[in-house]
Amino acid sequence: MFKTALRNVRAHKARLLMTVLAVTLGVAFVCGTLVFAESSSAAHRAAASKNFAGIALTVSPKEPPPGEAGRGGGGALDAALVRKLAALPGVAEVRPSVDGSATLNAADGSPLRGGKAWANLAGAYVPGGDGTDKRYPLVTGRAPARADELVVDRGTAAAGHLAVGDLVTLATDGPVLKKRLVGLVDTRDSRVTAGGTLALFDTATAQRLFASPGHFTSIDLTAAHGTDPVTLSTEVATVLPADRAETTSGAAQAAQQATNVDLMTRGYQKMPKIFAGVALFIGSFLIVNTFTMLVSRRTREIALLRAIGATRRQVVRSVLWEAALVGLAASVAGFAVGLGIAEVLPSILTTRQDPLPAGPLVIGIRPVLAALGVGVGITVLAAWLPSRRAAKVAPIEALRSAEQPPTPAASRARGITGLVLLVAGAGLLVSLTGAKDASDANMQNAMFGCALLLAALIALAPLLAGPVIRLGSRLTGLFGNRGRSGVSGRLARANALRDPRRTAATASVLMVSTALVAGLAVIGSSTGQALDRQAADGLSADYVIEARTSTLALDPAAPKRVADTPGVRTAAAVADSTLFTGGNVRSISGVDPAALPEVMKLDFVSGSAGAIGTGRIAVSESVAREQGLRTGSTVKAHIGPGQDFADYTVVGVYRDNPLAQDALGARDEVQRHSFKPGTVQRILVRTDGAVSDATAARLRSATGNSPLVQVKDREALVAEAGGTVGELLTLMYGLLAIGALISLLGIVNTLAMSVAERTREIGVLRAIGMDRAGVRRMIRVEAVTVAAFGTLLGLVGGVFGAWAVGSLTSGAMTRYVFSPPWGTLALLTLLALVTGALAAAVPARRAAALSPLEAVGKT
């Protein structure tokens, strides 16, 4: 049977080519993503190993025991300990370090990777006996020697367009600093080479910024020749203060740093994996369709095999061997294409602010196994149902010249199965629409309902093909009764309806991709509009000034400077913290009730903002609903960490507002109990005039042009709120391209086989007077008909699913309204029809080129 499968592959290689291409596409994304991930990880490991090369041990402070926050080990790492370590016989060299984080402004004033502490490295330039720091060799200029000087690495200088002699604006976790750039260094730190920044100061300045005068954050030790790590660790332990410091090997630090950087950049791998999954999912329909048609065409051949003694298992194995050979070819091709994808992904995903690490491609065993497993596995699995159908062919079928239609019982079973799935899927989705709760359980149920709905449409497609195509022909007049066009149209309709199962299988490829894209388009459009309304409607202020990340705070003097800025009417400082209410953790904003109406639009269901004060809070409607609270209720809670629970009175309930967060309290009380007491995280600004670049510039100047602070107007807030939606739309267009490509391959494959089956029929049409243009038109109309049928089912399923899924978010997103993007959906429909017309080009040309006499004479 293996020889039979090999012969069939050779005989049908042209028809199997489209299947190979579809599987190749999915395998390429899978392998490309895996190779890209392994290559990135290897580059991170290599960079980390170089950075920690020569470091045997690092001494660092221990975390203090719970309740003893003031007894950390940082105070133990001082010059005296450095001298003790240097005197040990197993230590060749000691390098004390002072490490922290600093965000720099580029030459144009924009922050370099603002707020990303893991990538904004800072520390001390520690010169050795020769006056240079071996970890950071100077490239140009000199080392920092005074408090107003710094050096940066070459990559940071290039990204920020900084040159030696420039005055650089930076911030650590407080006021803005300005220092003169006096030199450039080189670094092998993988966090910096992966897109971070590096700023180095003289030791005294670094100690004031990141530790305390005379103390260090870590001490690196190089082992003397012949000293093993165990002996060195034992020696070091004798001089370390008990319970206040610990040691870590350089190898362990390199491995941990490589892992951390790899995790930080792992998001780049998600998009290719999603594309791979979609390509394989949609491609599986093409595989099933191809093998179904091949089995149907070889009914007599399979029947003869059965007649001469082949068992059903042998027939199944023959078809599966054929699928395995096709999958193997696709795996090899997909692996080769995947290497190309892995090679170009870094250049596609990298940006000036987020460069990816450079390094050679690393081809491990995982991508190879994945290529074989995915390519061969998916193809064999998709061919299993056609193989079972082939095994059911009885020897008597060899005497029949035509393919037998499905029995009424089979059609009835398919219809019942489809209706059950339809009722179950649609019923589940409709039942969820009243929940208005986007919990994980509800979202999983919604996804399951969408899957049932899609399966129902696939099952019912052969039964719907006839009625839908006939109705469409009457509504559009595509298959008119006049002229040659009418004849071609009627023949195209008849060809599409000749085998509804084939038409449905071909249309299902396009249906699945259309449903995915249409659903994402509707959810993206509705969510984007809701976020736009929510961002704009909840804000009376003209500007929001805030720290770039939640872990940072504004300069305590910034609110006063902003309030004194010309043109500012109101500057309301907001302190953010955490509200603990029993087992629930909520966010709370500390505000000034008197200034609140000027800067924030709050719609109170009950109570008012004016009653907010010490011990009195207002809560959002969703929090009140979840915890059973109302105006006048008392709740046990505490603000910030480490506080005792106290009674808080609820003095108001307001409709959900992202600026107000979950609860509102008095600013002085929230500030006292926040993670950083006395700080504020946001300033809401109301101006006397219109929003302008000049006003924004004055506000940035009031914050000292700090790279840790951003000034956003309403338009910027709306754009930021729609950032996730933009990523969703990018994903949607990628899925659309993949779906259109695989659908194109599927329709080409189906039409090519259909033309081959109807060779004599086309010859007769040519013999009785149909010209070549008429034949081409017939094939094109048939392709467009199949594409339109699949698109219609996909739009119905996708829009209905998006309506149900979107309704779950309306509880958390009060401005959410189901809003289909009709223009996008119309464009999607047009693209599907164009895909059908393009797919018909080659088969139509081949059909029109048939000689009437040769075609009629073929058997």
Side-chain angles (χ1 to χ4, degrees):
M1 300 312 292
F2 177 77
K3 292 180 179 178
T4 302
L6 189 59
R7 179 187 62 80
N8 286 328
V9 170
R10 290 173 180 168
H12 303 292
K13 55 181 178 294
R15 293 166 193 168
L16 291 170
L17 178 61
M18 302 302 170
T19 301
V20 171
L21 291 176
V23 180
T24 296
L25 187 63
V27 172
F29 277 113
V30 171
C31 294
T33 304
L34 290 176
V35 172
F36 168 66
E38 291 189 0
S39 301
S40 297
S41 297
H44 292 148
R45 289 192 298 270
S49 297
K50 292 178 181 178
N51 188 45
F52 288 94
I55 297 178
L57 291 176
T58 295
V59 179
S60 57
K62 271 188 176 180
E63 289 293 328
E68 301 184 26
R71 292 188 57 198
L77 305 189
D78 54 13
L81 179 61
V82 172
R83 289 192 294 271
K84 290 179 182 179
L85 292 170
L88 293 174
V91 174
E93 186 178 352
V94 177
R95 184 188 185 279
S97 299
V98 185
D99 299 316
S101 174
T103 304
L104 286 69
N105 272 348
D108 60 2
S110 62
L112 285 168
R113 295 192 61 106
K116 298 184 180 180
W118 71 271
N120 296 329
L121 306 185
Y125 184 91
V126 183
D130 59 355
T132 64
D133 189 337
K134 294 180 180 179
R135 179 174 295 184
Y136 303 115
L138 276 168
V139 176
T140 185
R142 61 175 176 83
R146 301 188 312 181
D148 61 345
E149 297 177 344
L150 86 161
V151 298
V152 301
D153 70 286
R154 289 189 297 182
T156 298
H161 302 289
L162 303 173
V164 173
D166 288 351
L167 193 63
V168 179
T169 302
L170 68 148
T172 55
D173 187 11
V176 176
L177 306 172
K178 292 185 181 295
K179 296 186 181 295
R180 186 71 60 185
L181 182 62
V182 297
L184 302 181
V185 299
D186 201 0
T187 180
R188 295 175 295 188
D189 194 308
S190 58
R191 293 168 294 179
V192 180
T193 57
T197 62
L198 174 67
L200 300 174
F201 312 91
D202 67 278
T203 300
T205 301
Q207 288 175 332
R208 285 196 301 272
L209 291 173
F210 309 120
S212 60
H215 294 88
F216 307 96
T217 58
S218 63
I219 303 172
D220 296 328
L221 306 176
T222 302
H225 182 69
T227 304
D228 64 87
V230 176
T231 302
L232 179 62
S233 180
T234 304
E235 290 181 1
V236 170
T238 60
V239 299
L240 291 183
D243 300 326
R244 299 186 65 191
E246 59 186 354
T247 59
T248 309
S249 69
Q253 293 180 81
Q256 185 60 49
Q257 186 178 109
T259 301
N260 291 340
V261 176
D262 191 44
L263 288 173
M264 294 294 181
T265 57
R266 188 161 290 178
Y268 294 111
Q269 304 166 21
K270 292 180 180 178
M271 191 79 72
K273 286 182 179 178
I274 293 174
F275 288 162
V278 171
L280 291 170
F281 179 65
I282 300 176
S284 64
F285 289 91
L286 174 57
I287 300 168
V288 172
N289 195 23
T290 300
F291 278 94
T292 299
M293 289 188 293
L294 287 175
V295 168
S296 298
R297 289 207 65 208
R298 285 155 40 197
T299 299
R300 297 184 66 181
E301 173 191 326
I302 294 171
L304 286 173
L305 287 174
R306 296 278 284 113
I308 62 175
T311 65
R312 289 188 174 184
R313 288 186 178 180
Q314 286 176 317
V315 172
V316 170
R317 283 202 298 270
S318 175
V319 176
L320 293 183
W321 269 118
E322 192 173 333
L325 291 172
V326 171
L328 183 61
S331 297
V332 173
F335 185 77
V337 176
L339 294 181
I341 291 177
E343 185 71 37
V344 301
L345 269 179
S347 59
I348 294 175
L349 297 176
T350 193
T351 63
R352 190 189 77 171
Q353 295 283 11
D354 292 290
L356 294 179
L361 289 182
V362 176
I363 304 173
I365 191 64
R366 272 205 319 158
V368 177
L369 294 178
L372 294 173
V374 170
V376 177
I378 293 291
T379 309
V380 171
L381 184 63
W384 182 76
L385 283 177
S387 72
R388 298 283 296 175
R389 185 176 300 171
K392 294 179 181 179
V393 175
I396 195 65
E397 298 289 342
L399 303 177
R400 296 175 179 170
S401 59
E403 179 186 352
Q404 297 300 306
T407 64
S411 297
R412 214 166 24 248
R414 175 184 281 271
I416 293 173
T417 302
L419 285 175
V420 170
L421 291 173
L422 182 64
V423 171
L428 178 58
L429 290 175
V430 171
S431 68
L432 292 171
T433 56
K436 295 185 178 181
D437 178 14
S439 64
D440 290 342
N442 282 341
M443 291 303 294
Q444 289 174 4
N445 288 334
M447 294 300 102
F448 181 63
C450 289
L452 289 178
L453 181 63
L454 197 60
L457 291 176
I458 293 172
L460 293 173
L463 305 179
L464 295 174
V468 171
I469 291 175
R470 291 189 185 95
L471 178 61
S473 67
R474 293 192 183 98
L475 294 178
T476 62
L478 185 62
F479 311 113
N481 295 318
R482 297 180 182 178
R484 295 182 178 180
S485 297
V487 172
S488 299
R490 289 196 303 275
L491 289 172
R493 181 183 66 179
N495 291 331
L497 297 178
R498 177 180 299 179
D499 188 348
R501 289 180 301 175
R502 178 185 300 179
T503 298
T506 305
S508 293
V509 179
L510 191 56
M511 180 191 73
V512 172
S513 59
T514 302
L516 287 172
V517 174
L520 286 175
V522 173
I523 291 175
S525 172
S526 302
T527 303
Q529 293 183 36
L531 290 173
D532 289 354
R533 288 190 292 268
Q534 192 165 286
D537 294 349
L539 183 68
S540 298
D542 298 309
Y543 294 93
V544 176
I545 303 173
E546 61 184 357
R548 291 188 175 273
T549 68
S550 58
T551 59
L552 299 173
L554 298 178
D555 178 1
K560 178 66 169 60
R561 294 199 301 268
V562 171
D564 293 339
T565 300
V568 173
R569 183 198 307 176
T570 304
V574 179
D576 294 326
S577 188
T578 304
L579 180 70
F580 297 87
T581 58
N584 297 307
V585 180
R586 303 291 183 182
S587 57
I588 184 170
S589 296
V591 296
D592 178 3
L596 198 59
E598 283 285 314
V599 294
M600 198 180 295
K601 294 179 182 178
L602 288 175
D603 183 5
F604 273 82
V605 177
S606 61
S608 66
I612 295 173
T614 302
R616 302 190 301 274
I617 62 173
V619 298
S620 66
E621 194 173 21
S622 61
V623 171
R625 182 172 57 250
E626 291 172 14
Q627 297 191 218
L629 302 176
R630 62 179 183 274
T631 299
S633 298
T634 300
V635 59
K636 288 279 188 183
H638 69 80
I639 300 173
Q643 305 297 320
D644 294 329
F645 279 94
D647 289 333
Y648 281 84
T649 302
V650 177
V651 296
V653 177
Y654 54 89
R655 299 194 187 279
D656 289 23
N657 186 316
L659 289 173
Q661 303 196 61
D662 295 325
L664 291 172
R667 178 160 61 90
D668 56 350
E669 182 178 22
V670 173
Q671 282 180 306
R672 284 198 307 272
H673 302 306
S674 66
F675 289 90
K676 294 182 179 180
T679 62
V680 298
Q681 282 67 43
R682 290 177 288 159
I683 306 173
L684 307 182
V685 180
R686 186 79 178 267
T687 62
D688 292 323
V691 172
S692 66
D693 292 340
T695 302
R698 287 197 295 270
L699 293 176
R700 280 194 293 271
S701 178
T703 65
N705 290 315
S706 172
L708 300 179
V709 177
Q710 50 190 345
V711 178
K712 297 181 289 190
D713 57 22
R714 289 179 185 234
E715 185 178 343
L717 284 171
V718 170
E720 184 180 80
T724 303
V725 177
E727 294 177 3
L728 182 66
L729 293 177
T730 301
L731 174 62
M732 181 193 76
Y733 292 129
L735 297 179
L736 176 59
I738 291 175
L741 177 58
I742 297 180
S743 301
L744 183 71
L745 298 176
I747 297 174
V748 169
N749 213 18
T750 300
L751 290 178
M753 291 188 178
S754 179
V755 168
E757 288 179 356
R758 289 159 24 209
T759 298
R760 294 187 65 189
E761 175 188 321
I762 294 172
V764 171
L765 291 175
R766 293 280 285 115
I768 63 176
M770 178 176 280
D771 57 11
R772 293 183 174 181
V775 173
R776 288 194 294 268
R777 186 162 50 247
M778 177 182 69
I779 302 298
R780 280 199 301 269
V781 172
E782 182 180 349
V784 172
T785 301
V786 173
F789 174 62
T791 302
L792 177 62
L793 292 185
L795 287 175
V796 171
V799 172
F800 180 78
W803 168 74
V805 173
S807 65
L808 295 177
T809 57
S810 59
M813 196 177 296
T814 56
R815 304 297 195 276
Y816 185 90
V817 177
F818 179 68
S819 179
W822 299 113
T824 301
L825 297 180
L827 183 62
L828 176 61
T829 303
L830 178 62
L831 179 61
L833 298 179
V834 170
T835 298
L838 291 175
V842 175
R845 189 179 300 113
R846 182 177 299 171
L850 289 174
S851 169
L853 293 179
E854 292 180 2
V856 172
K858 286 191 176 182
T859 58

